[in-house]
Amino acid sequence: MYGHLGRIGSQALYFCVPFREQLLEYYSSHKIGADAEDNLLTCLADLFTQINSQKKKTGVIAPKRFVQRLKKQNELFRSYMHQDAHEFLNFLLNELVDILEKEDQAAKKEGETLSPSEKTVNGPKNPQANGVQKEPLVTWVHKNFQGILTNETRCLRCETVTARDEAFFDLSLDIEQNSSITSCLKIFSSTETLNAEDKFFCDKCCSLQEAQKRMKIKKPPHILVIHLKRFKYIEQLGRYKKLSYRVVFPLELKLSNTVEDADSEYSLFAVVVHVGSGPNHGHYVSLVKSHNHWLFFDDENVEMIDESAVQTFFGSAQEYSSNTDHGYILFYESLGANKS
């Protein structure tokens, strides 16, 4: 199962061009060889370099070294049970960050002077990151995927607004039947009233008060990863159920719920699709855009598809449908990043 998930995750990330270029640059600057000490970063860099340096126009590369390291690193990935692509992506990105930070700290201790391409860059300290991102280092993983959310709470008695920032690598969105990414993002940023048992402790009033709370995107990321929450725990059933809801994800997305209220424009370049009727079994496939063409990846099988075929993975308009292929993780690249 994890050889499969490793392929799907690698495919989506490989076609994330700025991430791929920086990973290939990391590989060449660190001169990683077959005898290098394995970690997830060196294994992924080696895999990307193998793909990038292939002279054949067609063929298959099995991510054996990467998958072996993944299983060694995390016991969740050692079984053949169906695992979650979103958990895999989160684990991988956070692990890459940890490795880069440890390398940076080790280099500083040894007094090494690294080239700009090898350095992680100092970024602003964020003491309000709520444990998500305490360190002042900003790696190239952060530069690609990290955005900042701000959680604003306004006391309805004294009108004082309390803001708390937190970093994110992806946005997990609740979904509704026959909706769209835009409407899901509006719900994500909608105002919620805190009252009764959920009152907010206002520091200015020094007491519990009714308040209004909302989440806004303070800093949009270069690569916006959106995770659709298709697996929901149903208390009556006592288990998780897959929501096959139809959720339209556009090829071009305007992110309008930002702090500056300025639209950020994004272009879709990859979709991880969950195939199957339930959360405990199924299969992952991916759609990626390369050189203005859409490709469909199903393990070692690759075919070119028409752009209009992307909409067949929006989901099912009816609760009971034979269609079980649903978009699960979406990758958007900022058009502003391309222009700059």
Side-chain angles (χ1 to χ4, degrees):
M1 174 64 205
Y2 256 86
H4 162 72
L5 191 48
R7 278 193 293 272
I8 296 302
S10 301
Q11 285 156 4
L13 288 174
Y14 185 81
F15 286 94
C16 173
V17 177
F19 175 80
R20 178 178 77 212
E21 287 177 348
Q22 282 162 326
L23 191 57
L24 292 172
E25 188 179 323
Y26 174 89
Y27 182 92
S28 61
S29 62
H30 285 69
K31 297 181 174 61
I32 298 165
D35 57 344
E37 184 186 344
D38 272 3
N39 59 40
L40 279 179
L41 178 57
T42 57
C43 291
L44 191 64
D46 179 61
L47 176 62
F48 276 29
T49 303
Q50 282 186 58
I51 297 169
N52 190 60
S53 60
Q54 283 297 312
K55 292 182 172 62
K56 294 179 183 176
K57 290 189 177 179
T58 59
V60 177
I61 293 176
K64 288 179 184 176
R65 185 181 169 195
F66 175 73
V67 171
Q68 282 171 356
R69 184 66 213 181
L70 187 65
K71 287 179 178 179
K72 188 176 180 181
Q73 200 87 10
N74 192 318
E75 61 182 22
L76 278 176
F77 306 148
R78 287 173 205 158
S79 74
Y80 284 89
M81 289 176 64
H82 186 70
Q83 301 291 350
D84 187 79
H86 178 240
E87 288 178 11
F88 167 74
L89 179 66
N90 264 311
F91 173 76
L92 178 60
L93 292 180
N94 282 296
E95 190 63 27
L96 297 186
V97 165
D98 286 347
I99 294 165
L100 287 168
E101 285 168 354
K102 283 172 186 171
E103 285 185 359
D104 185 81
Q105 288 164 9
K108 283 177 180 174
K109 280 181 184 177
E110 292 170 17
E112 291 174 4
T113 53
L114 302 177
S115 68
S117 64
E118 292 173 53
K119 276 185 187 176
T120 50
V121 182
N122 284 323
K125 285 188 179 180
N126 184 9
Q128 294 180 315
N130 195 28
V132 177
Q133 209 52 51
K134 290 179 182 177
E135 70 286 332
L137 296 172
V138 180
T139 68
W140 43 264
V141 178
H142 291 111
K143 283 183 174 182
N144 282 306
F145 294 100
Q146 182 178 268
I148 306 290
L149 291 170
T150 186
N151 199 332
E152 295 180 348
T153 309
R154 182 168 64 90
C155 174
L156 293 180
R157 183 184 177 194
C158 70
E159 299 289 322
T160 300
V161 175
T162 304
R164 189 182 81 246
D165 290 353
E166 56 187 86
F168 68 92
F169 278 153
D170 66 84
L171 291 180
S172 288
L173 302 182
D174 289 306
I175 60 173
E176 301 289 340
Q177 177 59 288
N178 293 320
S179 59
S180 67
I181 293 299
T182 305
S183 62
C184 292
L185 284 165
K186 280 181 182 173
I187 292 169
F188 179 81
S189 295
S190 62
T191 302
E192 175 189 356
T193 302
L194 304 176
N195 52 25
E197 295 177 358
D198 297 325
K199 282 184 179 179
F200 168 73
F201 186 87
C202 176
D203 288 337
K204 191 168 184 180
C205 298
C206 295
S207 59
L208 290 168
Q209 297 293 335
E210 289 192 353
Q212 286 186 332
K213 177 183 171 184
R214 70 172 300 184
M215 192 81 81
K216 276 185 156 184
I217 297 171
K218 184 175 183 178
K219 179 180 176 289
H222 284 310
I223 304 297
L224 175 64
V225 180
I226 294 177
H227 161 236
L228 302 182
K229 291 159 84 170
R230 287 203 176 272
F231 303 114
K232 186 178 181 182
Y233 187 77
I234 310 295
E235 286 192 18
Q236 297 93 316
L237 300 174
R239 59 180 171 83
Y240 281 88
K241 178 188 176 185
K242 182 181 178 184
L243 304 177
S244 60
Y245 297 160
R246 177 180 165 83
V247 181
V248 174
F249 45 89
L251 298 172
E252 305 293 329
L253 175 69
K254 280 191 177 181
L255 204 62
S256 55
N257 57 335
T258 59
V259 170
E260 294 84 7
D261 287 325
D263 286 355
S264 297
E265 294 186 17
Y266 287 87
S267 180
L268 185 71
F269 71 88
V271 183
V272 173
V273 174
H274 181 269
V275 180
S277 56
N280 300 317
H281 53 85
H283 183 64
Y284 287 108
V285 298
S286 60
L287 316 173
V288 295
K289 188 177 184 182
S290 177
H291 300 95
N292 288 320
H293 293 291
W294 279 93
L295 303 170
F296 176 83
F297 286 82
D298 184 357
D299 287 343
E300 66 273 11
N301 299 313
V302 183
E303 60 181 274
M304 195 176 287
I305 59 170
D306 193 76
E307 188 173 77
S308 61
V310 174
Q311 62 190 293
T312 62
F313 300 94
F314 288 167
S316 311
Q318 293 84 30
E319 186 176 351
Y320 300 102
S321 170
S322 58
N323 177 19
T324 64
D325 305 4
H326 310 119
Y328 183 49
I329 305 173
L330 314 172
F331 292 78
Y332 284 92
E333 184 173 9
S334 169
L335 294 176
N338 287 339
K339 288 170 190 170
S340 64

